[in-house]
């Protein structure tokens, strides 16, 4: 038998070498993957908790009910900027409640300089948790260089508020301003066809007007005043200020600044908004005394709240089997199909609700709703899923967050009980349809559209042709039909007469106290109180029951990314805020994002753009 040629032997050896290298590389990658699993789940966690420390609420980012989908590149790149970072409200609440019973936690310290947005509704839930913490006798101290309005609402809950001598507390009140695009659309030669049902459906106004209508100003002013009344009532009560102090502080701010020679920190202290003016080194020395411990670097001993609560929670590798209340979060715009966390998908949320209700041991379901609405078809899919769960005998309780309006109220209307925080914005019972066409722009550019079709409606939904009168009539009819269905659902679900529903509907936005008076909601209270009510409806002990917070099932890849992002987030580093240019372009980006999220195939929406809670 002849030997292979030298060339053949060379390539055979080369191939064997490549095969060996490929197998070795695969094994190394597999071992690296196992090491990563071990590091993420079984090691590399937070250091052991000190024997004596403060719980540090170093809130950096935006408070949300449910964190959005993890960006792989962001997770691997490291700590995101505060503008991009999300803080789960439940993490804050659970950490504060746990720390109140922990003898190793001697104080609660809030450092809020990098809190981008909280909102009054979420802040009030944290305030209730802080009140419970105070009952343990431990001090609560807020520390900041410059308190924004959101930050100060939380800071005012502290026993003592410390401000930097060069800082300020620039309160301004609540407002609702939004862009109006009628003139811009006209200049861009875009024809925006909007059909709406409900006299006060403010969603249509930005496309049809250049300003807010007088009627909408009256409505918006009413709920803004309600929310502002809650804000100043809480702050003045916590700070022991006379009624009207906050309004006077704001309205005479320029005068007081002039009298103080431009010293904003002194103005805040003189008006009772802060207790002490201290530089960071002096504040640290003071906190060392209050906490009773310092670390090796001389800083007051503290544990970050996220690391703290992650160390206290079970790993959750095995499903709960005991009798319990299940809580599912519905936050973000309502869109059709499958959607990631942070957005409400008609299919994905309906499936999650159904699967949760079918789990052994689940005796009641609470849905935490925080949305201004969206797609009609997606909302209907969710409503039907809730209806089937109730028909099977399981009680469903709605807990409204900051906003549960339009489509958000639609999915809530037929629940056994509806709870809302005192600062929830709800209602907006109305429907609209929107459809843009660009025939005028194309005509200006010299682009002509022509052709033939088999029916009168063939090609009538093209964006490059004028809207066909039959299509316009169809959209208007569909909107009116959906609006009547909406009214019937509310009347049936809330046990209200048709006349009462019509008086509360029309697209009008209501504050929670007004909505309760109208019968649109049952009770004012927090998520914890709604869970307790659901437990009672499910036959469990109202004051002693298990709770499971359910999230969309994550793939192994997403679980790794979320765990990695969580570990990276423990570093506590605080990068720079985003640029002024990004802030300047934010309204345009928001409008563009809203348009892309209007994905209902029938072009019908139950959406409230003008009711974003402060």
């Amino acid at each position: 038998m002849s030997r292979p040629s030298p060339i053949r032997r060379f390539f055979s050896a080369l191939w064997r070498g490549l095969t060996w290298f490929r197998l070795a590389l695969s094994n190394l990658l597999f071992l690296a993957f196992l090491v990563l699993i071990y590091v993420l789940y079984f090691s590399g966690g937070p250091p052991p908790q000190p024997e004596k420390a403060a719980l540090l609420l170093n809130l950096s980012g935006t408070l949300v009910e449910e964190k959005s989908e993890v960006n792989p590149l962001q997770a691997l790149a490291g700590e995101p900027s505060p503008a991009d970072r999300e803080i789960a409200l439940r993490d804050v609440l659970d950490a504060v409640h746990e720390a109140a019973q922990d003898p190793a936690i001697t104080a609660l310290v809030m450092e809020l300089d990098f809190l981008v947005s909280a909102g009054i509704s979420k802040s009030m839930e944290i305030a209730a948790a802080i009140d419970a913490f105070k009952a343990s006798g431990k001090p609560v101290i807020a520390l900041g260089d410059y308190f924004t309005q959101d930050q100060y609402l939380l800071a005012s809950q502290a026993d003592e508020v410390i401000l930097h001598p060069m800082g300020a507390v620039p309160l301004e009140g609540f407002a609702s301003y939004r862009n109006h695009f009628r003139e811009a659309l006209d200049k861009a030669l875009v024809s925006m066809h909007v059909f709406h049902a409900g006299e006060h459906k403010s969603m249509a106004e930005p496309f049809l007007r250049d300003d807010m209508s007088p009627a909408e100003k009256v409505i918006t002013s009413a709920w803004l005043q309600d929310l502002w009344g809650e804000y100043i009532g809480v702050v003045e009560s916590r700070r022991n200020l006379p009624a009207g102090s906050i309004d006077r502080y704001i309205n005479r701010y320029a005068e007081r600044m002039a009298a103080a020679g431009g010293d904003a920190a002194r103005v805040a202290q003189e008006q009772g908004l802060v207790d002490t003016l201290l530089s960071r080194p002096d504040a640290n020395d003071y906190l060392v005394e209050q906490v009773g411990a310092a670390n090796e670097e001389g800083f007051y001993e503290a544990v970050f709240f996220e690391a703290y609560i992650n160390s206290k929670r079970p790993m959750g590798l095995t499903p709960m089997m005991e009798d319990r209340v299940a809580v599912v979060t519905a936050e973000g715009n309502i869109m059709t199909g499958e959607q990631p966390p942070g957005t409400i998908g008609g299919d994905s949320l309906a499936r999650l609700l159904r699967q949760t209700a079918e789990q052994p041991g689940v005796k009641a379901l609470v849905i935490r709703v925080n949305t201004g609405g969206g797609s009609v078809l997606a909302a209907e899919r969710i409503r039907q899923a809730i209806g089937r769960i109730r028909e099977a005998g399981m009680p469903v309780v709605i807990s409204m967050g900051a906003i549960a309006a339009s489509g958000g109220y639609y999915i809530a209307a037929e629940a056994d009980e509806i709870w809302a925080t005192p600062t929830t914005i709800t209602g907006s019972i109305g429907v609209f349809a929107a459809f843009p066409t660009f025939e005028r722009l194309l005509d200006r550019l010299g682009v002509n559209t022509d052709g033939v079709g088999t029916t009168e409606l063939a090609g009538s939904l093209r964006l490059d042709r004028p809207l066909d009168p039959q299509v316009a009539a169809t959209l208007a009819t569909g909107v009116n039909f959906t609006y009547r269905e909406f009214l019937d659902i509310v009347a049936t679900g809330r046990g209200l007469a048709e006349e009462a529903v019509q008086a509360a509907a029309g697209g009008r936005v209501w504050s929670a106290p007004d909505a309760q008076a109208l019968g649109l909601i049952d009770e004012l209270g927090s998520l914890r109180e709604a869970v307790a009510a659901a437990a009672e409806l499910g036959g469990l002990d109202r004051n002693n029951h298990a709770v499971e917070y359910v999230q969309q099932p994550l793939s192994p890849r997403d679980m790794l990314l979320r765990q990695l992002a969580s570990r990276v987030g423990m570093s506590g580093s605080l990068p720079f805020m985003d640029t002024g240019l990004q802030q300047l372009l934010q309204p345009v980006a928001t409008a563009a994002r809203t348009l892309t999220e209007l994905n209902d195939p029938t072009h019908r929406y139950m959406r409230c753009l003008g009711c974003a809670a402060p």
Side-chain angles (χ1 to χ4, degrees):
M1 184 175 182
S2 61
R3 295 181 61 190
S5 66
I7 295 177
R8 184 173 180 180
R9 290 199 304 272
F10 170 78
F11 280 108
S12 296
L14 179 62
W15 181 254
R16 286 194 300 271
L18 290 174
T19 300
W20 177 88
F21 179 77
R22 177 173 54 85
L23 292 174
L25 183 60
S26 298
N27 290 333
L28 287 173
L29 290 174
F30 179 71
L31 290 174
F33 179 76
L34 293 179
V35 170
L36 180 62
I37 293 289
Y38 177 80
V39 168
L40 291 179
Y41 285 94
F42 302 105
S43 70
Q49 182 177 318
E51 295 182 1
K52 187 182 290 187
L55 176 70
L56 176 58
L57 292 187
N58 56 322
L59 305 182
S60 174
T62 300
L63 271 171
V64 296
E65 301 281 354
E66 181 182 45
K67 288 187 176 181
S68 304
E69 189 175 34
V70 176
N71 184 318
L73 295 178
Q74 189 179 79
L76 294 172
E79 178 88 355
S81 71
D84 297 323
R85 194 169 187 272
E86 294 179 335
I87 312 160
L89 175 63
R90 187 166 69 91
D91 288 348
V92 179
L93 299 177
D94 288 353
V96 175
H97 284 293
E98 184 73 27
Q101 311 301 322
D102 189 341
I105 298 298
T106 60
L108 173 64
V109 177
M110 293 185 282
E111 293 191 10
L112 307 172
D113 289 315
F114 291 90
L115 175 62
V116 176
S117 174
I120 185 172
S121 178
K122 299 181 185 70
S123 295
M124 295 298 285
E125 297 223 28
I126 296 175
I130 292 174
D131 275 345
F133 183 91
K134 288 180 179 179
S136 68
K138 304 172 185 179
V140 179
I141 302 168
L143 174 68
D145 293 336
Y146 179 101
F147 291 115
T148 66
Q149 191 160 271
D150 254 10
Q151 295 167 0
Y152 185 72
L153 179 57
L154 286 176
S156 68
Q157 311 308 306
D159 298 306
E160 187 171 7
V161 181
I162 301 174
L163 179 67
H164 193 282
M166 297 296 290
V169 185
L171 306 182
E172 60 173 308
F174 289 157
S176 177
Y177 289 90
R178 58 186 182 272
N179 298 111
H180 292 74
F181 303 102
R182 189 205 63 81
E183 185 177 356
L185 291 170
D186 189 58
K187 288 182 177 180
L189 301 177
V190 175
S191 301
M192 196 71 186
H193 309 278
V194 180
F195 309 87
H196 62 94
E199 179 184 357
H200 303 289
K201 197 56 190 170
S202 60
M203 172 62 191
E205 285 199 356
F207 302 112
L208 302 177
R209 298 178 59 94
D210 293 321
D211 57 1
M212 183 183 288
S213 66
E216 192 59 32
K217 286 184 177 180
V218 171
I219 293 168
T220 303
S221 179
W223 60 259
L224 278 175
Q225 290 293 344
D226 285 347
L227 266 62
W228 182 239
E230 288 284 340
Y231 184 102
I232 62 176
V234 168
V235 170
E236 290 172 351
S237 173
R238 294 293 194 274
R239 298 296 303 167
N240 295 315
L241 298 173
S245 295
I246 298 300
D247 280 339
R248 288 192 293 272
Y249 172 80
I250 295 172
N251 294 332
R252 298 177 60 188
Y253 192 69
E255 173 187 334
R256 291 194 167 113
M257 280 287 287
D263 190 340
R266 196 178 98 197
V267 171
Q269 186 182 34
E270 289 175 347
Q271 298 305 311
L273 273 67
V274 302
D275 298 292
T276 311
L277 303 181
L278 292 175
S279 65
R280 277 304 174 102
D282 291 338
N284 179 70
D285 293 341
Y286 177 74
L287 288 170
V288 169
E289 295 178 6
Q290 295 296 309
V291 174
N295 61 21
E296 296 177 353
E297 298 178 353
F299 296 109
Y300 72 93
E301 192 69 83
V303 290
F304 295 157
F305 77 95
E306 286 179 314
Y308 177 77
I309 196 58
N310 285 337
S311 70
K312 297 295 182 181
R313 284 175 178 158
M315 291 198 60
L317 296 178
T318 58
M320 294 180 67
M321 298 302 294
E322 60 187 311
D323 290 350
R324 62 197 184 275
V325 177
V327 180
V328 175
T329 299
E331 178 170 39
N333 287 333
I334 300 176
M335 302 174 66
T336 57
E338 302 284 335
Q339 300 296 336
T343 305
I344 302 171
D347 292 340
S348 49
L349 181 57
R351 184 181 62 255
L352 182 61
L353 293 173
R354 183 181 67 253
Q355 292 175 346
T356 301
E358 293 172 351
Q359 291 298 313
V362 174
K363 300 300 181 182
L365 182 63
V366 174
I367 306 174
R368 177 69 164 185
V369 177
N370 190 36
T371 175
S375 163
V376 166
L377 288 180
E380 173 63 14
R381 181 73 181 270
I382 297 166
R383 185 193 70 84
Q384 290 176 355
I386 294 173
R388 286 192 292 269
I389 292 170
R390 295 183 65 239
E391 288 172 2
M394 178 172 293
V396 177
V397 173
I398 298 295
S399 172
M400 293 180 169
I403 303 170
S406 225
Y409 188 80
Y410 183 88
I411 65 177
E414 295 179 314
D416 293 281
E417 288 187 11
I418 299 178
W419 288 68
T421 72
T423 54
T424 294
I425 299 302
T426 189
S428 188
I429 301 171
V431 184
F432 79 97
F435 191 86
T437 57
F438 303 92
E439 72 282 355
R440 291 189 298 153
L441 175 60
L442 294 177
D443 183 64
R444 174 70 62 84
L445 297 174
V447 178
N448 300 300
T449 303
D450 195 15
V452 295
T454 58
T455 68
E456 294 182 5
L457 295 182
S460 59
L461 292 178
R462 291 177 60 97
L463 301 184
D464 54 2
R465 297 185 65 199
L467 186 62
D468 187 278
Q470 291 192 64
V471 174
T474 300
L475 288 172
T477 303
V479 165
N480 289 325
F481 168 79
T482 305
Y483 181 57
R484 291 195 302 272
E485 288 289 306
F486 200 163
L487 297 179
D488 289 342
I489 287 168
V490 174
T492 303
R494 307 306 303 146
L496 296 173
E498 181 179 346
E499 295 78 12
V501 175
Q502 289 179 341
R508 179 161 183 170
V509 177
W510 302 97
S511 65
D514 287 343
Q516 185 184 30
L518 292 166
L520 297 180
I521 63 175
D522 296 298
E523 302 287 347
L524 301 180
S526 65
L527 173 60
R528 284 178 175 265
E529 292 172 297
V531 170
E536 189 171 22
L537 291 175
L540 303 177
D541 188 332
R542 183 184 183 94
N543 300 314
N544 185 21
H545 52 269
V547 182
E548 179 186 10
Y549 293 88
V550 182
Q551 294 180 319
Q552 292 186 37
L554 298 175
S555 66
R557 164 189 169 276
D558 290 335
M559 290 176 66
L560 280 172
L561 288 173
R562 181 156 292 186
Q563 189 72 9
L564 179 60
S566 174
R567 291 301 171 92
V568 170
M570 291 178 184
S571 65
S573 61
L574 298 174
F576 293 109
M577 298 287 283
D578 60 347
T579 66
L581 178 60
Q582 290 174 309
Q583 296 177 5
L584 181 64
L585 295 177
Q586 185 62 35
V588 178
T590 300
R593 183 172 63 252
T594 300
L595 289 174
T596 61
E597 290 173 347
L598 299 180
N599 71 340
D600 190 295
T602 66
H603 304 287
R604 288 176 297 167
Y605 304 95
M606 295 179 289
R607 182 75 171 89
C608 180
L609 275 186
C611 57

